[in-house]
Amino acid sequence: MLAGAAGLAFGARVWLAVGWPTVSGDWIVYSKVARNILWNGCVSLSDPSTGLCEPHWGGNQLPGFPLFVAALWRAFPEGWLPIAVGHCLVFAVATGYLLWSLNRWCEDRALCLAAILLVALSPLTVPWARFTLTETLAVAANVWILAELVRSFADRSLRTLPLALACTVAIFIRYDNALAAVPIAVCGFLLHRPGEAIRRGSTLALLVSLPLGLWMARSVAQGLGPVPDLYFSALGHPMPKGYLAWGKTWATTQYEAPGWFYAVHTGEYSGIRLPETAYREPAQRAHIDALIAELARHDGRSFPAAIDQSFAGIAAERCAAVPFDCAVTLPLRRIWNILWNPRNSGGWPVSLGVGVGTPPPVDLVATVLAHPIAAVVKVGTSTYRLALFVGVATLALWTVLAGWRGPPAVLLWMAASYAIARVAFMGWGFFMESRYLLEAVPFLEVALVLTLGTWWKRRARTGPASGNSG
């Protein structure tokens, strides 16, 4: 069972990774950091061929993914194939470990296997193995965290040291994996009295903070700030905070990004094209257009501070006029758009020709009829994502109201808490891509299968009349 589940997880991903590889824009940064690690023994965004090694925090994230790439390239020729096989293999091993952990905790082997098959063949996580991104490794790290939480329930004690190791690896791959602290906290309080849960949680946090603190000390010692800058351009300059704050007052979907964000990221300001939604206040149109026209004269250079301050003023003025819109309405619209996003292919190699940076088709029906498979994949993955997140949250609430306990219920509470934390963080944090929710998906899939399977089997044994006796 373990070998079969791991084999399916590996085979499905490596088939796509090798057959349909896709280079992302972020790969420019990841590969640069990886080659600096490999060739020069430093973490830097400098041109690796120069050996300049100007220090950096790690690129787009901390240097976990570039370090993984550099290690593979040290053993194998540089290229995509070692990465494709490597991160698929890591995911497969994590999947096998999760099944082993589930079998220790849950007596129903058939349900455990069904849950793992969904994790192994998930329509949301499988296709991201073909991208030169962190997602497959990041999700694998979260599968590892989930496995340690399941083992904690099997052992009736929070596995502090293994969880600290898994969390450290996960955070070095992606910053937002720190949100795994939410289901870990839920697990701790379910297993222990409050005082003991806090003690174990504090110990875990201390263990995770040690390597992170060492990396922070290294970065400060090399002239960097005490915390990494989450937004920086491909030119290596910090992204303009005022301009981003202004974008936050109107942007609600990733499909607006090419017009207003990507050109700033690359320093090609003359390529900025704003949608009508950017002009929320007609009186500000002339001012905004004048700022964009002036900005176009600075192509290839850092974003001018004076222009950035002007955009910050526009943002502050807008939010002062409609504070509820900025604080609540816009984040909720972003949350809806990352949960229900039928234009997005979910990583699958299909297209309607209306992706990021292109307007929606005038005749949607004709476009769908011309690309039926692509349309089914897009709508199907978006529907599955929405149903998974909303369904598990609803089931978790139902178990609380019904007083239902047991393995499925506690998994539901952990999964729902993680899903809600990620969705809220992305919506209010201005991260608008659906792929940022992937790390919670294995939690949700395992919880959903075990819950529905357990409910169905109980109902079959007791009959509909007593199906809620739980």
Side-chain angles (χ1 to χ4, degrees):
M1 287 173 62
L2 295 177
L8 282 174
F10 176 78
R13 285 165 178 76
V14 83
W15 172 62
L16 281 167
V18 174
W20 291 271
T22 299
V23 177
S24 67
D26 291 343
W27 176 244
I28 297 173
V29 174
Y30 288 131
S31 59
K32 188 179 290 186
V33 176
R35 288 191 171 95
N36 268 310
I37 293 172
L38 181 63
W39 297 352
N40 304 315
C42 63
V43 174
S44 172
L45 283 179
S46 302
D47 183 347
S49 63
T50 65
L52 183 60
C53 274
E54 185 176 347
H56 197 270
W57 269 88
N60 295 325
Q61 305 285 336
L62 291 175
F65 181 58
L67 183 61
F68 175 77
V69 172
L72 289 173
W73 283 352
R74 182 171 294 278
F76 304 98
E78 289 187 26
W80 168 239
L81 185 60
I83 304 169
V85 175
H87 69 184
C88 292
L89 184 60
V90 170
F91 191 95
V93 171
T95 302
Y97 180 48
L98 176 57
L99 177 57
W100 183 79
S101 299
L102 284 169
N103 283 337
R104 289 195 59 189
W105 181 42
C106 180
E107 295 179 358
D108 195 323
R109 297 292 180 89
L111 279 183
C112 292
L113 181 59
I116 283 298
L117 289 179
L118 185 54
V119 172
L121 302 176
S122 172
L124 295 181
T125 62
V126 165
W128 289 99
R130 69 191 192 91
F131 285 83
T132 53
L133 291 168
T134 61
E135 266 58 36
T136 295
L137 273 188
V139 177
N142 277 268
V143 171
W144 180 13
I145 291 171
L146 176 57
E148 296 297 349
L149 291 175
V150 169
R151 282 197 64 186
S152 295
F153 280 109
D155 297 345
R156 300 179 182 274
S157 177
L158 192 68
R159 290 171 54 81
T160 305
L161 185 58
L163 276 168
L165 179 59
C167 287
T168 300
V169 171
I171 294 171
F172 267 89
I173 295 170
R174 288 194 65 86
Y175 295 118
D176 53 24
N177 281 329
L179 292 170
V182 175
I184 292 172
V186 172
C187 176
F189 282 103
L190 287 172
L191 284 171
H192 302 288
R193 294 181 181 275
E196 179 65 11
I198 292 172
R199 187 187 69 80
R200 288 175 179 265
S202 300
T203 302
L204 195 156
L206 178 61
L207 290 172
V208 173
S209 68
L210 288 176
L212 293 174
L214 289 173
W215 191 249
M216 181 179 73
R218 163 264 177 196
S219 300
V220 170
Q222 293 190 341
L224 304 175
V227 293
D229 193 341
L230 299 182
Y231 292 105
F232 62 91
S233 72
L235 303 176
H237 303 138
M239 287 289 282
K241 290 181 172 59
Y243 183 81
L244 291 177
W246 167 72
K248 203 172 182 178
T249 65
W250 57 268
T252 59
T253 172
Q254 69 180 102
Y255 295 96
E256 295 160 329
W260 76 277
F261 182 80
Y262 291 177
V264 172
H265 182 67
T266 59
E268 299 169 309
Y269 310 120
S270 57
I272 293 176
R273 299 291 182 271
L274 299 178
E276 281 300 312
T277 50
Y279 302 101
R280 298 191 63 189
E281 302 294 335
Q284 295 175 336
R285 178 183 286 269
H287 187 197
I288 292 171
D289 286 343
L291 290 173
I292 297 298
E294 174 63 23
L295 184 60
R297 300 169 55 188
H298 297 266
D299 275 359
R301 290 176 280 174
S302 60
F303 200 102
I307 296 178
D308 191 38
Q309 290 171 3
S310 295
F311 276 111
I314 296 173
E317 183 179 335
R318 282 188 177 180
C319 286
V322 284
F324 187 81
D325 196 29
C326 284
V328 179
T329 306
L330 285 169
L332 288 178
R333 287 179 61 189
R334 294 184 193 112
I335 286 172
W336 172 253
N337 287 333
I338 60 178
L339 284 173
W340 173 252
N341 189 2
R343 287 181 65 186
N344 190 276
S345 298
W348 291 96
V350 297
S351 175
L352 293 175
V354 291
V356 175
T358 57
V362 176
D363 191 340
L364 180 60
V365 174
T367 303
V368 169
L369 292 176
H371 308 276
I373 295 177
V376 168
V377 170
K378 286 173 176 285
V379 174
T381 54
S382 191
T383 301
Y384 177 63
R385 178 173 53 248
L386 180 63
L388 187 63
F389 277 76
V390 175
V392 169
T394 303
L395 283 172
L397 178 60
W398 172 75
T399 61
V400 173
L401 296 177
W404 192 25
R405 298 293 185 267
V410 297
L411 268 179
L412 275 174
W413 301 336
M414 289 194 304
S417 68
Y418 196 17
I420 292 169
R422 290 198 76 88
V423 166
F425 179 80
M426 299 309 163
W428 269 269
F430 202 45
F431 302 101
M432 296 178 288
E433 293 189 41
S434 297
R435 66 185 174 97
Y436 297 146
L437 303 181
L438 290 175
E439 286 81 355
V441 167
F443 284 76
L444 298 170
E445 289 172 332
V446 171
L448 185 67
V449 171
L450 290 186
T451 300
L452 294 182
T454 300
W455 172 81
W456 180 261
K457 290 190 174 187
R458 288 185 179 186
R459 189 176 186 274
R461 288 197 306 266
T462 61
S466 57
N468 291 329
S469 61

